[in-house]
Amino acid sequence: MLSLDDVLEAQPRVEAVARRTPLDYSHTFSRMSGAEVHLKLENFQRTGAFKIRGATNRIATLSEKEREAGVVTASAGNHAQGVALAATRAGVDSTIVMPEFAPISKVNATRRYGGRVVLHGVDYSEAQARAHEIEREEGRTYVHAFDDPVVMAGQGTLGLEILDQCPDVETVVVGIGGGGLISGIATAIKAQSPETRVVGVQAEGASSLADSLDKGEVVELDSVDTIADGIATRRVGEKTFEVIRERVDEVVTVSDEEIAMAVTHLLERAKTLVEGAGAVPLAAVLSEAFDYDEGEVIVPALCGGNIDLNVLTTVLMRGLVETGRYLRIRTVLKDRPGALLHLAEILVDHRTNIHAIHHDRTSKDVAMNAAEVEIDLETRGENHVADLLSDLREHGYAVEVLV
């Protein structure tokens, strides 16, 4: 099994390429949670994610014959970029298979780092199958995204940094996709600070690990569905599962709504852009997905910041809705002069900002002398929304909340 020595051996190789990322104490999230929250800002890493660590270590250990043949891998995006950059820096040819629906920003970035991109399949598992075909056809070395001890050791250097930067850390919170990052971090931390707790977090829509731990073997999901595309894997690795089972203290899940709120809070409060997979550790803290004490020193590892702008728009909108900052309502008005004005006056009295109005007289769901109205509103929080809806209903409007 992966050992601390493996991680320590990886450290100089990784340090030659990867950055030592900041650890930042957050007054905001400490106040919101009651804990002492220090953010490990791995989203500031080269290529925008931790994957460069494991990829660098794996490629640095290739034999001369393997270097000449080149490497191949599969990835939804972050591992793709890490392998592409690490291989290019080492003078090794790389082919990267990515799902057809991978964020275009990650596809383009992988190409810019020098990787040859092949788009195949609807998710990571199908892309991985094609990558193994290329491995056999072209004699390339497959660089696994997570289920490789050398890759895991490279990721574990993040754990070394956390202990060095925050020696009194009591809990480290890490997102889990395939399990490579948390395996490396848990190995590094438990060997040097056994009392430090390691908590893993999965998205509810890609939570294979709970069943796997219950059954004592790796369980594969039929499909995954989450905004956290960086951890949207159907299963954890066989090797990572063994490390997780032995060295990770607890595994919890968070919803897409909680992830979206964490992304929104990080952008607004910490001025930090983090992708869904990078936000799940903070989401777990803020939603109290696991128990912690008042004043407990917690380090959420924000493992990546490569969020597609289209996805960011959706995530931010979801976050605004969940925090009562954005509201869409539907109601029916009498189709007569002044009806819409009267409704707008109530909205103005509550100091809402009207973002958009759709006024439809032709809807088959309303009477001939009525009009259906949908209104998008910028609001100021859950209490503001509740007061607004209450007042509208007191004025006789049958209001339906759409989002």
Side-chain angles (χ1 to χ4, degrees), residues 363-397:
S363 173
K364 63 182 181 180
D365 297 325
V366 298
M368 294 290 290
N369 63 342
E372 184 180 80
V373 178
E374 289 186 10
I375 308 178
D376 289 9
L377 301 166
E378 295 176 14
T379 48
R380 291 177 288 130
E382 295 176 355
N383 292 337
H384 184 215
V385 170
D387 290 343
L388 172 64
L389 293 176
S390 176
D391 197 17
L392 287 171
R393 287 165 180 149
E394 286 179 7
H395 279 81
Y397 292 100

CSV table of all heavy atoms in Angstrom, one decimal, residues 363-397:
chain,number,residue,atom,x,y,z
A,363,SER,N,-51.8,32.2,-23.4
A,363,SER,CA,-51.7,31.0,-22.7
A,363,SER,C,-53.0,30.3,-22.6
A,363,SER,O,-54.0,30.9,-22.2
A,363,SER,CB,-51.1,31.2,-21.4
A,363,SER,OG,-51.1,29.9,-20.6
A,364,LYS,N,-53.1,29.0,-23.0
A,364,LYS,CA,-54.3,28.3,-22.9
A,364,LYS,C,-54.7,27.9,-21.5
A,364,LYS,O,-55.8,27.5,-21.2
A,364,LYS,CB,-54.2,27.0,-23.7
A,364,LYS,CG,-53.2,26.0,-23.2
A,364,LYS,CD,-53.1,24.8,-24.0
A,364,LYS,CE,-52.0,23.8,-23.5
A,364,LYS,NZ,-51.9,22.6,-24.3
A,365,ASP,N,-53.8,28.2,-20.5
A,365,ASP,CA,-54.1,27.9,-19.1
A,365,ASP,C,-54.8,29.0,-18.4
A,365,ASP,O,-55.1,28.9,-17.2
A,365,ASP,CB,-52.8,27.5,-18.4
A,365,ASP,CG,-52.1,26.3,-19.0
A,365,ASP,OD1,-52.9,25.4,-19.4
A,365,ASP,OD2,-50.9,26.2,-19.0
A,366,VAL,N,-55.0,30.1,-19.0
A,366,VAL,CA,-55.7,31.3,-18.3
A,366,VAL,C,-57.0,31.7,-19.1
A,366,VAL,O,-57.2,31.3,-20.3
A,366,VAL,CB,-54.8,32.5,-18.2
A,366,VAL,CG1,-53.6,32.1,-17.4
A,366,VAL,CG2,-54.4,33.0,-19.6
A,367,ALA,N,-57.8,32.4,-18.4
A,367,ALA,CA,-59.1,32.8,-19.0
A,367,ALA,C,-58.9,33.8,-20.2
A,367,ALA,O,-57.8,34.4,-20.3
A,367,ALA,CB,-60.0,33.4,-17.9
A,368,MET,N,-59.9,34.0,-21.0
A,368,MET,CA,-59.8,34.9,-22.1
A,368,MET,C,-59.5,36.3,-21.7
A,368,MET,O,-58.9,37.1,-22.5
A,368,MET,CB,-61.1,34.8,-23.0
A,368,MET,CG,-61.3,33.4,-23.6
A,368,MET,SD,-60.1,33.1,-25.0
A,368,MET,CE,-60.7,34.2,-26.2
A,369,ASN,N,-60.0,36.7,-20.6
A,369,ASN,CA,-59.8,38.1,-20.1
A,369,ASN,C,-58.7,38.2,-19.1
A,369,ASN,O,-58.7,39.2,-18.3
A,369,ASN,CB,-61.1,38.6,-19.5
A,369,ASN,CG,-61.5,37.8,-18.2
A,369,ASN,OD1,-61.0,36.7,-18.0
A,369,ASN,ND2,-62.4,38.4,-17.4
A,370,ALA,N,-57.7,37.3,-19.2
A,370,ALA,CA,-56.6,37.4,-18.3
A,370,ALA,C,-55.3,37.2,-19.0
A,370,ALA,O,-55.3,36.9,-20.2
A,370,ALA,CB,-56.7,36.3,-17.2
A,371,ALA,N,-54.2,37.5,-18.3
A,371,ALA,CA,-52.9,37.3,-18.9
A,371,ALA,C,-51.9,36.7,-17.9
A,371,ALA,O,-52.0,37.0,-16.7
A,371,ALA,CB,-52.3,38.7,-19.3
A,372,GLU,N,-51.1,35.8,-18.3
A,372,GLU,CA,-50.1,35.2,-17.5
A,372,GLU,C,-48.8,36.0,-17.5
A,372,GLU,O,-48.4,36.4,-18.6
A,372,GLU,CB,-49.9,33.7,-18.0
A,372,GLU,CG,-48.9,32.9,-17.1
A,372,GLU,CD,-48.7,31.5,-17.6
A,372,GLU,OE1,-47.9,31.4,-18.6
A,372,GLU,OE2,-49.4,30.6,-17.1
A,373,VAL,N,-48.3,36.2,-16.3
A,373,VAL,CA,-47.0,37.0,-16.2
A,373,VAL,C,-46.0,36.2,-15.5
A,373,VAL,O,-46.3,35.6,-14.4
A,373,VAL,CB,-47.3,38.3,-15.5
A,373,VAL,CG1,-46.0,39.1,-15.3
A,373,VAL,CG2,-48.3,39.1,-16.2
A,374,GLU,N,-44.8,36.1,-16.0
A,374,GLU,CA,-43.6,35.5,-15.4
A,374,GLU,C,-42.6,36.7,-15.2
A,374,GLU,O,-42.3,37.4,-16.1
A,374,GLU,CB,-43.0,34.4,-16.2
A,374,GLU,CG,-43.8,33.1,-16.2
A,374,GLU,CD,-43.0,32.0,-16.9
A,374,GLU,OE1,-41.8,32.1,-17.1
A,374,GLU,OE2,-43.7,30.9,-17.1
A,375,ILE,N,-42.1,36.8,-13.9
A,375,ILE,CA,-41.2,37.9,-13.6
A,375,ILE,C,-40.0,37.3,-12.9
A,375,ILE,O,-40.1,36.6,-12.0
A,375,ILE,CB,-41.9,38.9,-12.7
A,375,ILE,CG1,-43.2,39.4,-13.3
A,375,ILE,CG2,-41.0,40.1,-12.4
A,375,ILE,CD1,-44.0,40.3,-12.4
A,376,ASP,N,-38.8,37.7,-13.4
A,376,ASP,CA,-37.5,37.4,-12.8
A,376,ASP,C,-37.1,38.6,-11.9
A,376,ASP,O,-37.1,39.8,-12.4
A,376,ASP,CB,-36.4,37.2,-13.8
A,376,ASP,CG,-36.7,35.9,-14.5
A,376,ASP,OD1,-37.7,35.3,-14.4
A,376,ASP,OD2,-35.8,35.5,-15.3
A,377,LEU,N,-36.8,38.3,-10.6
A,377,LEU,CA,-36.5,39.4,-9.7
A,377,LEU,C,-35.2,39.2,-9.0
A,377,LEU,O,-34.9,38.1,-8.6
A,377,LEU,CB,-37.6,39.4,-8.6
A,377,LEU,CG,-39.1,39.7,-9.1
A,377,LEU,CD1,-40.1,39.4,-8.0
A,377,LEU,CD2,-39.2,41.1,-9.6
A,378,GLU,N,-34.5,40.3,-8.8
A,378,GLU,CA,-33.3,40.3,-7.9
A,378,GLU,C,-33.7,40.7,-6.5
A,378,GLU,O,-34.3,41.7,-6.3
A,378,GLU,CB,-32.2,41.2,-8.5
A,378,GLU,CG,-31.7,40.8,-9.8
A,378,GLU,CD,-30.7,41.8,-10.4
A,378,GLU,OE1,-30.3,42.7,-9.6
A,378,GLU,OE2,-30.4,41.8,-11.6
A,379,THR,N,-33.5,39.8,-5.6
A,379,THR,CA,-34.0,40.0,-4.2
A,379,THR,C,-32.8,40.0,-3.3
A,379,THR,O,-31.6,39.9,-3.7
A,379,THR,CB,-35.0,38.9,-3.8
A,379,THR,OG1,-34.4,37.6,-4.2
A,379,THR,CG2,-36.3,39.0,-4.6
A,380,ARG,N,-33.1,40.2,-2.0
A,380,ARG,CA,-32.0,40.4,-1.0
A,380,ARG,C,-31.9,39.4,0.1
A,380,ARG,O,-31.4,39.7,1.2
A,380,ARG,CB,-32.2,41.9,-0.4
A,380,ARG,CG,-32.0,43.0,-1.5
A,380,ARG,CD,-32.2,44.3,-0.9
A,380,ARG,NE,-33.7,44.6,-0.7
A,380,ARG,CZ,-34.2,45.0,0.4
A,380,ARG,NH1,-33.4,45.3,1.4
A,380,ARG,NH2,-35.5,45.2,0.5
A,381,GLY,N,-32.4,38.2,-0.1
A,381,GLY,CA,-32.3,37.2,0.9
A,381,GLY,C,-33.6,36.5,1.1
A,381,GLY,O,-34.7,36.9,0.7
A,382,GLU,N,-33.5,35.4,1.9
A,382,GLU,CA,-34.7,34.6,2.2
A,382,GLU,C,-35.8,35.3,2.9
A,382,GLU,O,-37.0,35.1,2.5
A,382,GLU,CB,-34.3,33.3,3.0
A,382,GLU,CG,-33.3,32.4,2.2
A,382,GLU,CD,-32.8,31.2,3.0
A,382,GLU,OE1,-33.2,31.2,4.2
A,382,GLU,OE2,-32.1,30.4,2.5
A,383,ASN,N,-35.5,36.2,3.8
A,383,ASN,CA,-36.5,36.9,4.6
A,383,ASN,C,-37.2,37.9,3.6
A,383,ASN,O,-38.4,38.1,3.7
A,383,ASN,CB,-35.9,37.6,5.8
A,383,ASN,CG,-35.5,36.7,6.8
A,383,ASN,OD1,-36.0,35.6,6.9
A,383,ASN,ND2,-34.5,37.1,7.7
A,384,HIS,N,-36.4,38.5,2.8
A,384,HIS,CA,-37.0,39.5,1.8
A,384,HIS,C,-37.9,38.8,0.9
A,384,HIS,O,-39.1,39.3,0.6
A,384,HIS,CB,-35.8,40.1,1.0
A,384,HIS,CG,-36.3,41.2,0.0
A,384,HIS,ND1,-35.7,41.4,-1.2
A,384,HIS,CD2,-37.3,42.1,0.1
A,384,HIS,CE1,-36.3,42.4,-1.8
A,384,HIS,NE2,-37.2,42.8,-1.1
A,385,VAL,N,-37.6,37.6,0.4
A,385,VAL,CA,-38.4,36.8,-0.5
A,385,VAL,C,-39.7,36.4,0.2
A,385,VAL,O,-40.8,36.6,-0.3
A,385,VAL,CB,-37.7,35.5,-1.0
A,385,VAL,CG1,-38.7,34.6,-1.7
A,385,VAL,CG2,-36.6,35.9,-1.9
A,386,ALA,N,-39.6,36.0,1.5
A,386,ALA,CA,-40.8,35.6,2.2
A,386,ALA,C,-41.8,36.7,2.4
A,386,ALA,O,-43.0,36.6,2.3
A,386,ALA,CB,-40.4,35.0,3.6
A,387,ASP,N,-41.2,37.9,2.8
A,387,ASP,CA,-42.1,39.1,3.0
A,387,ASP,C,-42.8,39.5,1.7
A,387,ASP,O,-44.0,39.9,1.7
A,387,ASP,CB,-41.2,40.3,3.5
A,387,ASP,CG,-40.8,40.1,4.9
A,387,ASP,OD1,-41.3,39.2,5.6
A,387,ASP,OD2,-39.8,40.8,5.3
A,388,LEU,N,-42.0,39.5,0.6
A,388,LEU,CA,-42.6,39.8,-0.7
A,388,LEU,C,-43.7,38.9,-1.1
A,388,LEU,O,-44.8,39.4,-1.5
A,388,LEU,CB,-41.5,39.8,-1.8
A,388,LEU,CG,-42.0,40.0,-3.3
A,388,LEU,CD1,-42.6,41.3,-3.5
A,388,LEU,CD2,-40.8,39.8,-4.2
A,389,LEU,N,-43.5,37.6,-1.0
A,389,LEU,CA,-44.5,36.6,-1.4
A,389,LEU,C,-45.8,36.8,-0.5
A,389,LEU,O,-46.9,36.7,-1.0
A,389,LEU,CB,-44.0,35.2,-1.3
A,389,LEU,CG,-42.9,34.9,-2.3
A,389,LEU,CD1,-42.3,33.4,-2.0
A,389,LEU,CD2,-43.4,35.0,-3.7
A,390,SER,N,-45.6,37.0,0.8
A,390,SER,CA,-46.7,37.2,1.7
A,390,SER,C,-47.5,38.4,1.3
A,390,SER,O,-48.8,38.3,1.3
A,390,SER,CB,-46.2,37.3,3.1
A,390,SER,OG,-47.2,37.6,4.0
A,391,ASP,N,-46.9,39.5,1.0
A,391,ASP,CA,-47.6,40.7,0.6
A,391,ASP,C,-48.3,40.5,-0.7
A,391,ASP,O,-49.5,41.0,-0.9
A,391,ASP,CB,-46.6,41.9,0.5
A,391,ASP,CG,-47.3,43.2,0.5
A,391,ASP,OD1,-48.5,43.3,0.9
A,391,ASP,OD2,-46.7,44.2,0.1
A,392,LEU,N,-47.7,39.9,-1.7
A,392,LEU,CA,-48.4,39.7,-3.0
A,392,LEU,C,-49.7,38.8,-2.8
A,392,LEU,O,-50.7,39.1,-3.3
A,392,LEU,CB,-47.5,38.9,-3.9
A,392,LEU,CG,-46.3,39.8,-4.5
A,392,LEU,CD1,-45.3,38.9,-5.3
A,392,LEU,CD2,-46.9,40.9,-5.5
A,393,ARG,N,-49.6,37.8,-1.9
A,393,ARG,CA,-50.7,37.0,-1.7
A,393,ARG,C,-51.8,37.7,-0.9
A,393,ARG,O,-53.0,37.5,-1.1
A,393,ARG,CB,-50.3,35.7,-1.0
A,393,ARG,CG,-49.6,34.8,-2.0
A,393,ARG,CD,-48.8,33.7,-1.3
A,393,ARG,NE,-48.1,32.8,-2.3
A,393,ARG,CZ,-47.0,32.2,-2.1
A,393,ARG,NH1,-46.4,32.3,-1.0
A,393,ARG,NH2,-46.4,31.5,-3.1
A,394,GLU,N,-51.4,38.6,0.0
A,394,GLU,CA,-52.4,39.4,0.7
A,394,GLU,C,-53.1,40.4,-0.2
A,394,GLU,O,-54.3,40.7,0.0
A,394,GLU,CB,-51.7,40.2,1.8
A,394,GLU,CG,-51.3,39.4,3.0
A,394,GLU,CD,-50.6,40.2,4.1
A,394,GLU,OE1,-50.5,41.5,3.9
A,394,GLU,OE2,-50.1,39.6,5.1
A,395,HIS,N,-52.5,40.7,-1.3
A,395,HIS,CA,-53.1,41.6,-2.3
A,395,HIS,C,-53.9,40.8,-3.3
A,395,HIS,O,-54.4,41.3,-4.3
A,395,HIS,CB,-52.1,42.4,-3.1
A,395,HIS,CG,-51.6,43.7,-2.3
A,395,HIS,ND1,-50.7,43.6,-1.3
A,395,HIS,CD2,-52.0,45.0,-2.4
A,395,HIS,CE1,-50.5,44.8,-0.8
A,395,HIS,NE2,-51.3,45.7,-1.5
A,396,GLY,N,-54.1,39.5,-3.1
A,396,GLY,CA,-54.9,38.7,-3.9
A,396,GLY,C,-54.3,38.0,-5.1
A,396,GLY,O,-55.0,37.4,-5.9
A,397,TYR,N,-53.0,38.1,-5.2
A,397,TYR,CA,-52.3,37.4,-6.3
A,397,TYR,C,-52.0,36.0,-6.0
A,397,TYR,O,-51.4,35.6,-4.9
A,397,TYR,CB,-50.9,38.1,-6.6
A,397,TYR,CG,-51.1,39.5,-7.2
A,397,TYR,CD1,-51.0,40.6,-6.4
A,397,TYR,CD2,-51.4,39.7,-8.5
A,397,TYR,CE1,-51.1,41.9,-6.9
A,397,TYR,CE2,-51.6,41.0,-9.0
A,397,TYR,CZ,-51.4,42.1,-8.2
A,397,TYR,OH,-51.6,43.4,-8.7
